Amino acid sequence: MRTLSRLALLAAAALAACAPPAPPATPLSDAPAAEEPWPGAATAPGAAEGPAAPESPEQRAARLRAAAILVDGHNGIPSPVVGGRFDVTNLSREAARADLARLKAAGVAGELFPIHVGALSVQQAGLRGGAARRALDLIDGIHRQIERHGADLVLARSARDVRRAKREGRVAALMGIEGGHAIENSLSALRSFHRLGVRYMALTHLSTNDWADSAGGALEPAIARHRGLSPFGEEVVREMQRIGMLVDVSHASEATFRAVLRVAKAPIIASSSVRAEAHHRRRLGDDLLRALATNGGVAMVDFWALFLDEAYAEQAGRFLQKHGARLKELSERAPGDAASARGEIEKLRAQEAPIQLPPSARIADHIDDLVKIAGVDHVALGSDFDVDGALPGGLAGIDGRSMMALELVRRGYSDEDILKLLGGNFLRIFEQAEAYAASTETSLSGDGSTRQLTAAELPSAAPEPAAAVDPRPLLPPPGPSPPAPAVGPKAAKPASPPAPPGGMDLIMAR
């Protein structure tokens, strides 16, 4: 099913025209790195003083990019490099949107690498092992890349590692498991992944697991079996926060999101956020965004065209409705290898009119939207430079992210707020998660929970309708909502026809 989902995304994208020692490291410091000076910031001795020339928007954006600790929220490199198929310096054409050279050129200091564990890892456990084995293979792949390219890439186990990477001109790799079924219902496995460097985990991916409900995907229906989290799922959240691992609710159902917020004692993240206007089951409505802000967490804006534009999603949905049977046939013929079907997909694409990509300014539209509801302290950039997804026009890869600072400048955001959006907000909640873990004054395993999943908690054979949502409040009733923060004027949006029911569900896999 995962292969079919990836083929669906590939089709939509096609339509849119014991290790060797690492190099010596400088001592770590808890102090934030000083901002780099920008041209014209200092006056040469003896120079005549006078009014400083005003910065152009381009100069201001360049200065902010140099000063910012840029953090990018999603990069699908782990899957292509697993098993030694590719290297971060020599990726396939499809995966090269965010290779190491582009990351460095874009000035990225922290990159979130998802350890993607598909549902097939559970369904087809055998010679290749199960979900935990798949996660371990991917984690080892990232460690191999770090050890081979230590001059440019470093493992981030803490926020200060990201700050250090910024100072040294390296890229800090933050690993996160995408799909909580990877821990195979074991809190001991969760702690072992933490030892290997995993610092965040999405509780679900496209399928509901034994303790948390998923929002589903394009071709995987959303199944509600726990009304959010089971008691064991709540224990997973508590244990993650006790050891300093960020809880990611990106693929969780609304009921799961609500349950996490009731349990959480530290900030959480939504590493790839979708807004309600996108007509997708992973939407973040206004109430969820406000609750996320009350929690102190961060919503990270996803760059995929399918998450940004309803007209694009509608056209892509019609393509899948027409060619879904052929795509399924291709997935069964080449399981686990969507790229091998690219030629066949191109033939299907040639039969249809090209789909117009939304402009890259649509990303900033979504940032504006999130900021107005949640506040500027609770928004960051998630990107999702994956191998299959279509990106907005003018954004060919992560090196195109430089335009984001310029667009934010043009929209009237302050320097302080732009630095927050580019990476400061993520670093803040990462540090808060570490502080909460330290406040528990516990050891990793010695004081770890021994809670086991019981047979009574296993999913029922008769799942509830996917729409079932726990009616209890998200959080204790807060005080009046603060006024919406001021943002710059938004560019006018072209009118888009509404996507038909299920239009995005047919195409969305993530």
Side-chain angles (χ1 to χ4, degrees), residues 146-391:
I146 291 170
E147 291 163 8
R148 289 178 175 180
H149 306 288
D152 298 312
L153 199 59
V154 60
L155 178 64
R157 296 178 181 271
S158 66
R160 68 175 180 266
D161 290 341
V162 182
R163 296 186 184 279
R164 186 188 73 190
K166 165 70 176 178
R167 295 196 298 272
E168 297 177 349
R170 295 198 283 176
V171 178
L174 296 100
M175 292 189 294
I177 291 174
E178 193 171 46
H181 51 279
I183 69 171
E184 296 191 5
N185 304 331
S186 166
L187 297 178
S188 297
L190 176 71
R191 294 188 287 268
S192 295
F193 283 130
H194 184 277
R195 280 194 172 87
L196 292 172
V198 173
R199 288 300 179 267
Y200 69 99
M201 183 173 78
L203 301 182
T204 68
H205 193 239
L206 303 184
S207 302
T208 290
N209 57 39
D210 287 342
W211 42 269
D213 290 337
S214 167
L219 303 168
E220 293 87 349
I223 297 176
R225 289 176 171 164
H226 312 288
R227 295 183 65 80
L229 290 175
S230 74
F232 182 79
E234 294 179 351
E235 192 68 23
V236 171
V237 171
R238 294 188 188 97
E239 190 69 353
M240 288 178 67
Q241 296 200 323
R242 185 189 70 83
I243 64 178
M245 189 182 288
L246 288 167
V247 176
D248 186 357
V249 293
S250 290
H251 294 274
S253 70
E254 181 178 341
T256 302
F257 195 124
R258 293 172 181 270
V260 169
L261 288 172
R262 287 193 296 271
V263 174
K265 302 295 185 184
I268 66 173
I269 64 171
S271 65
S272 57
S273 301
V274 185
R275 281 292 279 147
E277 64 185 83
H279 290 301
H280 188 259
R281 59 170 58 95
R282 280 177 55 193
R283 66 189 180 276
L284 282 179
D286 291 1
D287 61 333
L288 295 180
L289 279 171
R290 292 190 182 100
L292 181 68
T294 300
N295 160 267
V298 167
M300 308 181 78
V301 177
D302 198 293
F303 291 6
W304 279 16
L306 288 163
F307 285 162
L308 297 172
D309 190 78
E310 296 183 53
Y312 180 90
E314 180 184 9
Q315 295 175 76
R318 287 198 298 265
F319 179 87
L320 280 189
Q321 288 175 329
K322 182 175 181 179
H323 300 291
R326 178 59 176 155
L327 292 172
K328 182 178 181 180
E329 179 185 337
L330 292 173
S331 73
E332 292 172 347
R333 189 178 72 186
D337 188 10
S340 68
R342 186 174 295 275
E344 293 294 327
I345 292 173
E346 289 291 342
K347 292 179 182 178
L348 296 177
R349 181 206 61 77
Q351 302 174 22
E352 309 293 336
I355 297 179
Q356 184 66 40
L357 286 167
S360 57
R362 193 62 52 81
I363 299 170
D365 292 343
H366 278 243
I367 292 173
D368 286 348
D369 183 38
L370 291 171
V371 166
K372 286 182 178 179
I373 303 302
V376 74
D377 291 332
H378 305 288
V379 183
L381 302 183
S383 80
D384 214 345
F385 289 108
D386 200 78
V387 298
D388 299 327
L391 297 172

